[in-house]
Amino acid sequence: MTVIENTQIVLASRPVADIDPKTTFRVQKESLSAELGPNEILVKVLYVSLDPAMRGWMRDVRSYIRPVRIDEVMRSSDVVQVIKTNNTNYKVGELLRATCGWQEYAVLKPSEDLVKIKAFPGVSPSTYLGVLGLTGLTAYFGLYEVGEIVKKGGPNCTVVVSGAAGATGMVAAQIAKHVFGCRVIGIAGSPDKCDFLVKELGLDAALNYKSKTFFKDLCAVTPKLIDIFFDNTGGDILDGCLRRIAFKGRIIVCGAISTYNDAIPKGPAYYSALITQRARMEGFIVFDYAAQYGKAIEDMSQWIKEGKLQSRETIVHGIERAPEALVKLFRGDNTGKMLVKVADEDSRSRL
């Protein structure tokens, strides 16, 4: 019987505040049998996606998905390559997006989580964890379904995006700017990131939320107030944008990364603006729109080809570095999508 040594990273404890990679996770080795059962496939993990949502998955609380169990492989979306197959629908060498978690290999059965990757020139397979993955889909459906950008979009529409240099934020900002022609202001955490948003992504303005004059600067760049606010951070940034929300404005609650490590998260102080401005603030989960993923990926693939949508990645190497890379994500060290590269693609086995 052929056996593969598989490195895994499991959840060892549930952090109360900040993640300590040494105590929150544990590296372990397992002997994985390469003998497959009916319809099973053996895959090698190439890339692992790191996402702010992982902090919520570590909490044993009611949510949209069950928490990761103690001693369970940490959950993640991955790009994988089929290296052995007992299923006629999957060929050796094919690339898939799958939920395998933080490990080097996995044996999988067919499920909705298995998505074949349709590569095209100029696009890395890792893009299917970013712009063409759940990250990009989150930006797409947040704008379309919650922000109603189809109705509101155009040059007279002011869109503000927090976490705009992050994986979801940069996609949302580019769609609003280059697909719908809105006036778009990005919020980020460093001068370099702000320069990237304006000079490389073409946004109209970018603000550093760490500046002492942040709210004054926000007022200056939103003279006609904020029609759509795509929020990835929560906290003080959300409060500032609530104070600037326009009549009938929309606040898309995508994430609240600034509060995820807080033992007792702070709620918004200026929510009464929702009453006075008859505005709407709504959360959403991308899984709710799974039936529409195909159309969204087609649209975003076309926008990439047209130069309307760029991808940027921050990559660390080696599955053992996933815990420290997750901490870096919460520190804001990344620009664009944060990924762990686990292995190289075997081009010789591609069909």
Side-chain angles (χ1 to χ4, degrees), residues 151-169:
K151 296 179 181 178
K152 289 179 168 288
N156 294 321
C157 177
T158 297
V159 177
V160 174
V161 181
S162 63
T168 299

Side-chain angles (χ1 to χ4, degrees), residues 171-282:
V171 178
Q174 290 180 89
I175 292 174
K177 177 63 183 176
H178 302 303
V179 176
F180 288 95
C182 302
R183 184 169 182 272
V184 180
I185 293 94
I187 299 173
S190 73
D192 287 344
K193 289 183 178 181
C194 289
D195 285 346
F196 164 72
L197 293 173
V198 174
K199 296 177 181 178
E200 296 192 38
L201 298 190
L203 305 193
D204 296 281
L207 303 179
N208 185 346
Y209 72 85
K210 296 178 182 178
S211 168
K212 294 180 180 179
T213 60
F214 169 69
F215 184 68
K216 180 180 178 181
D217 298 337
L218 179 65
C219 293
V221 297
T222 57
K224 296 183 180 180
L225 303 175
I226 300 171
D227 298 294
I228 298 174
F229 175 42
F230 195 109
D231 188 24
N232 293 296
T233 61
D236 293 338
I237 295 173
L238 171 58
D239 272 338
C241 290
L242 274 166
R243 294 169 68 182
R244 299 295 296 167
I245 199 68
F247 180 73
K248 292 288 187 179
R250 293 268 176 166
I251 298 177
I252 304 163
V253 186
C254 178
I257 194 171
S258 72
T259 69
Y260 287 164
N261 285 330
D262 294 345
I264 303 177
K266 184 184 76 172
Y270 292 94
Y271 66 89
S272 61
L274 300 173
I275 304 169
T276 60
Q277 301 307 312
R278 284 76 110 196
R280 181 171 175 178
M281 182 172 170
E282 182 179 351

Side-chain angles (χ1 to χ4, degrees), residues 39-181:
N39 292 321
E40 290 183 335
I41 60 174
L42 175 64
V43 300
K44 175 175 69 172
V45 177
L46 305 184
Y47 292 94
V48 167
S49 173
L50 299 182
D51 301 283
M54 289 175 166
R55 185 61 184 84
W57 300 343
M58 298 177 203
R59 291 192 175 98
D60 190 9
V61 298
R62 183 173 65 93
S63 188
Y64 62 94
I65 190 171
R66 73 160 178 82
V68 178
R69 300 184 180 99
I70 298 297
D71 297 325
E72 183 179 13
V73 173
M74 185 60 198
R75 181 188 296 133
S76 65
S77 184
D78 313 311
V79 167
V80 304
Q81 185 171 32
V82 180
I83 59 174
K84 188 176 181 181
T85 180
N86 203 12
N87 188 311
T88 56
N89 292 322
Y90 300 96
K91 300 177 181 179
V92 170
E94 282 189 316
L95 299 182
L96 311 173
R97 187 176 71 233
T99 304
C100 296
W102 290 6
Q103 57 185 333
E104 294 177 306
Y105 298 92
V107 174
L108 305 175
K109 292 184 177 181
S111 71
E112 292 180 356
D113 287 336
L114 285 180
V115 178
K116 292 188 179 184
I117 288 177
K118 300 177 182 178
F120 55 91
V123 172
S124 164
S126 61
T127 306
Y128 282 81
L129 295 177
V131 175
L132 297 179
L134 292 178
T135 295
L137 292 167
T138 299
Y140 181 100
F141 290 112
L143 286 171
Y144 272 78
E145 301 293 336
V146 182
E148 295 188 338
I149 198 167
V150 173
K151 296 179 181 178
K152 289 179 168 288
N156 294 321
C157 177
T158 297
V159 177
V160 174
V161 181
S162 63
T168 299
M170 67 178 289
V171 178
Q174 290 180 89
I175 292 174
K177 177 63 183 176
H178 302 303
V179 176
F180 288 95

